Amino acid sequence: MDDLDRGLLAALQRDATQSYAALAQAVGLSTGAAHERVRKLREQGVIRRTTVDVDPAAVGRGVLAFVLVEANAWMGDRPTHEALAALPEVEEAHVIAGPASLLVKLRVGTPEQLQASLRRLFQLDGVTGTRTIVVLETFFDRPLDPYPPNP
């Protein structure tokens, strides 16, 4: 991956709907070369998907919470993965090291829905407790910077 690829990634993160001609102009390539590079980035799995950033509050999911899930068993297996993936309110789920086994990001519409989600998490095999952090305000949610950090 070179700086042209990183430039394409940065431009796509700003606006994935722009034309290949606009992408090419942004990084100094021909339209065909930009298209080919983007195709290869998709093929290699660097670009995992193209999506739309929706305002959660506008679709009734304005309550954001992070939940540390404590367990008495290893939670990094396929059944746990499938159980969490089956819950539509779970946006992210991570196996972690530290005081808990999982970190789960939930988005729901109301505190009552958050309570119901926590109840469903407690029903997972091995779960012994949760610690929930409700977000009051998000300052920013930054996309991944495709350029390596400067030492």
Side-chain angles (χ1 to χ4, degrees):
M1 176 169 315
D2 61 16
D3 281 345
L4 289 172
D5 290 332
R6 293 177 197 285
L8 287 167
L9 291 172
L12 284 167
Q13 284 183 317
R14 284 189 299 277
D15 179 4
T17 66
Q18 61 188 305
S19 68
Y20 286 110
L23 286 171
Q25 185 176 19
V27 298
L29 288 173
S30 71
T31 301
H35 184 269
E36 182 63 16
R37 281 179 176 256
V38 170
R39 184 190 65 74
K40 286 181 180 176
L41 290 167
R42 287 183 196 283
E43 201 173 80
Q44 296 165 353
V46 176
I47 298 174
R48 297 188 296 196
R49 63 184 171 153
T50 302
T51 186
V52 175
D53 187 14
V54 176
D55 177 5
V59 294
R61 294 183 65 182
V63 177
L64 171 61
F66 292 92
V67 182
L68 290 166
V69 178
E70 300 160 353
N72 62 8
W74 176 248
M75 300 301 285
D77 54 16
R78 176 62 57 198
T80 302
H81 174 160
E82 291 172 355
L84 291 169
L87 301 174
E89 65 272 27
V90 174
E91 283 192 358
E92 297 177 17
H94 308 273
V95 176
I96 61 171
S101 299
L102 297 170
L103 175 63
V104 177
K105 179 181 176 183
L106 298 173
R107 274 206 197 267
V108 294
T110 66
E112 293 79 16
Q113 290 171 338
L114 177 58
Q115 183 177 2
S117 295
L118 292 172
R119 189 174 296 116
R120 284 190 288 278
L121 288 176
F122 264 100
Q123 293 171 349
L124 295 176
D125 285 339
V127 171
T128 60
T130 62
R131 294 185 201 170
T132 303
I133 301 162
V134 176
V135 175
L136 300 177
E137 179 181 0
T138 299
F139 289 140
F140 58 87
D141 186 357
R142 178 179 296 151
L144 179 69
D145 182 355
Y147 294 95
N150 291 329

